[in-house]
Structure formats: structure tokens, C-alpha cells
Amino acid sequence: LIKGGAHLEALSLVKHICFDKTGTLTNGEFALLSLEDFAKNMSRKEVFEHLALMEERASHPVAQAILTGARNEKVSIPKDTELERHTIVAGEGVLGIINGREVHVGNERMFGRIGLLKDVPETVRAKVESWKGLGGTIGYMSIEGEGIVCAYCAADGVRAESASVVSRLRKCGIEVTMLTGDNRDAALAVGAQVGLSEQEIQSKLLPEEKLAFIESLSSGCTGGSILSNPCGQRRLVMMCGDGVNDAPALAAADIGVAMGAGAALAMETADVTLLDSNLEKLEYS
């Protein structure tokens, strides 16, 4: 789905494509690989109940993997448990109030920022390092009065066409970069599977950092907009993504491409939507 002829013409001028990782180069279909709970005053079931409640309202694919993992362990959310002020923290995770206690769920960036990452037991840290080697997405949960109570790992597979698409784009003289908010090890693991070098991978990025990267690539282009000068000699930059966190970068790129199975905001922001989320369609353009 292309929003206008000018964008269709501009596709031929693209010389650099930036791909999001999760849900774009990968399938976005996560499975919960492991959950390590280490709360002193809570059972594994209680920890899982809190985690499931926090992720129930989240839209990220990892959230669905956690909910499926909870169901597999026969964990359900108690009806008398109250969640308030559920808030998405861009590029980090979610926070909320459960039964009067503040709860954080998110990545290493979040827990480094709030000063709790150091409290993860050494035995769990060793497991987290092994998870990173698998290319997994790592997360933690903390509960007010308890500190960090668990660490978890979820992973999804690389799209079948990703590696071949990256290879063929290179043969066409198009530069390729991966932009992800995930940790470096997970990014490198996926990058290796699709044929990207370390220099072509930008990791641990907040939405505004993805935006800044796109803007830095576009800054060398000549003046004029696509709409006013679609056939101008510009080296256009494309951003391809699927999530809410990708929306600013999709809007800033010369051409924004959204995956059809992604977030509504990404599709609204993008100039082009791949309705079947097949990256091979980029080559046809």
C-alpha cells in the first residue's frame, strides 16, 4: 500500500535502508525461553501473576510471549488484584501500581537507570549472559519493597527472507543498517543471521536515538522535498519498522515503510505499508 505516486517514484532513489529488528528482520513471534524468579517473600506463582498483569496491556510481542508462558504454567491473574497508572516507558518497558506498590518491567536500560540492576544475584547474572548469546530479549521485574524479583528471556526467529533480501539490496548498491532498542549481544546474534557486520548494527537505541540516526543520514542530502522534487538527485533514506517506537524514525525518513502486521501507529505514520509483512516486496519497488 503506497500513499501517493511521489513516494512510488522516490523508491528508486533509495540508497540506504534502516531496518528495525523485532518484527521486521525477525518474525516478531516470541516464545518465553526462561524465567528465573528470586523474590525472598513471594512464590514463583505470585511473581508470574504480577508479570502477566503488567504485560496484559502491553502491545510488544514479548508481552504476548509472557502471557503464553503464564498460561503454560497454569498462572492466571487474581480478580482482586488492582493495576493502576499503567504507563509505557519508551525504549525501556512499562511501570504501574499493583495493590499500592510500584512495579517496573523492562530491559537493562530501565533497571540501570533506576539503580536496581546491581541487585541481580550472581547466579542469575550468569544465566542472563548465556541468554544473550542466544540472541534473546532480556527483561526484569521489580516490585516496591521487594526489589528485583525475576529475570526472563524471550526470543523469536529471523524471517526466512531477511538474509537474502539484505544480500540482494547490497548488490543493488544500497547500504543497510539495523536499528534496535535491544541489547548488543541480541542485536549481533540476529545481525549475523541476516549477514550484517558489527558496523552495520546500532543497538540499545531509544526512539529518539533512532530518529537522530535517521536524521544524521538524511542531513547530507540536497534540499527539496520528495513531493516537490521526486526525481531530484538525492540519496534517499528509507526506514522500515513495525512498532510504536519506530514511528518517529518512520516519519523522519525520506520514505517510511511499515510492516502490515505491526502497530497501527507505525502504519499511519509510514508512506508505504507491506500488507503481508514480506520484505521481498522491497525489491520489487
Side-chain angles (χ1 to χ4, degrees), residues 215-282:
E215 290 177 336
S216 72
L217 293 179
S218 301
S219 63
C221 296
T222 59
S225 68
I226 305 172
L227 296 177
S228 63
N229 186 24
C231 297
Q233 298 303 306
R234 303 178 64 203
R235 292 172 54 85
L236 301 187
V237 177
M238 175 188 291
M239 173 66 193
C240 187
D242 76 312
V244 173
N245 288 344
D246 299 319
L250 288 169
D254 295 301
I255 301 176
V257 177
M259 306 298 277
L265 180 59
M267 288 184 275
E268 290 172 6
T269 305
D271 307 303
V272 178
T273 297
L274 303 179
L275 294 178
D276 63 356
S277 298
N278 190 330
L279 293 176
E280 290 180 336
K281 297 292 173 60
L282 293 177

Side-chain angles (χ1 to χ4, degrees), residues 26 134-135 156-159 162-164 186-196:
T26 70
L134 298 173
D156 73 338
V158 171
R159 289 186 185 277
S162 290
S164 59
L188 290 175
V190 171
Q193 293 180 66
V194 301
L196 295 176

Side-chain angles (χ1 to χ4, degrees), residues 3-53:
K3 300 176 183 178
H7 298 303
L8 179 61
E9 293 182 40
L11 288 169
S12 64
L13 300 176
V14 170
K15 295 300 178 184
H16 197 138
I17 300 180
C18 294
F19 288 99
D20 170 51
K21 178 177 75 69
T22 301
T24 303
L25 290 174
T26 70
N27 293 307
E29 298 172 357
F30 279 80
L32 185 64
L33 301 185
S34 184
L35 184 143
E36 292 291 324
D37 62 288
F38 41 88
K40 295 179 180 179
N41 302 306
M42 298 174 67
S43 67
R44 178 180 178 85
K45 181 175 181 291
E46 289 172 323
V47 168
F48 227 147
E49 287 172 350
H50 279 67
L51 183 60
L53 180 57

Side-chain angles (χ1 to χ4, degrees), residues 27-243:
N27 293 307
E29 298 172 357
F30 279 80
L32 185 64
L33 301 185
S34 184
L35 184 143
E36 292 291 324
D37 62 288
F38 41 88
K40 295 179 180 179
N41 302 306
M42 298 174 67
S43 67
R44 178 180 178 85
K45 181 175 181 291
E46 289 172 323
V47 168
F48 227 147
E49 287 172 350
H50 279 67
L51 183 60
L53 180 57
M54 289 293 293
E55 295 290 17
E56 189 178 36
R57 301 182 188 178
S59 59
H60 195 279
V62 172
Q64 296 307 310
I66 289 171
L67 293 174
T68 299
R71 287 193 293 270
N72 290 341
E73 292 199 20
K74 304 295 189 291
V75 172
S76 59
I77 301 169
K79 294 182 179 180
D80 61 349
T81 303
E82 185 177 3
L83 171 62
E84 301 174 293
R85 303 179 192 173
H86 187 270
T87 305
I88 295 173
V89 183
E92 293 189 351
V94 295
L95 61 86
I97 307 293
I98 295 180
N99 292 344
R101 297 199 292 180
E102 189 171 61
V103 180
H104 289 79
V105 178
N107 56 23
E108 290 186 344
R109 182 193 291 269
M110 168 180 276
F111 286 89
R113 176 177 60 79
I114 64 178
L116 293 179
L117 199 57
K118 64 183 184 301
D119 297 332
V120 176
E122 285 296 330
T123 54
V124 176
R125 290 186 188 184
K127 290 188 177 181
V128 168
E129 290 305 313
S130 69
W131 293 342
K132 290 180 180 179
L134 298 173
T137 294
I138 314 299
Y140 303 89
M141 179 173 69
S142 69
I143 299 175
E144 185 178 356
E146 298 284 345
I148 291 188
V149 296
C150 72
Y152 59 85
C153 174
D156 73 338
V158 171
R159 289 186 185 277
E161 74 273 16
S162 290
S164 59
V165 168
V166 168
S167 176
R168 290 194 289 268
L169 289 174
R170 280 211 188 94
K171 289 178 181 177
C172 294
I174 297 174
E175 296 179 62
V176 178
T177 303
M178 178 202 295
L179 307 181
T180 178
D182 218 334
N183 67 74
R184 186 68 177 169
D185 291 321
L188 290 175
V190 171
Q193 293 180 66
V194 301
L196 295 176
S197 68
E198 290 191 27
Q199 292 71 35
E200 295 172 315
I201 299 170
Q202 300 291 321
S203 58
K204 299 181 73 173
L205 299 179
L206 292 169
E208 55 265 33
E209 291 171 328
K210 287 186 179 183
L211 170 61
F213 187 85
I214 293 294
E215 290 177 336
S216 72
L217 293 179
S218 301
S219 63
C221 296
T222 59
S225 68
I226 305 172
L227 296 177
S228 63
N229 186 24
C231 297
Q233 298 303 306
R234 303 178 64 203
R235 292 172 54 85
L236 301 187
V237 177
M238 175 188 291
M239 173 66 193
C240 187
D242 76 312

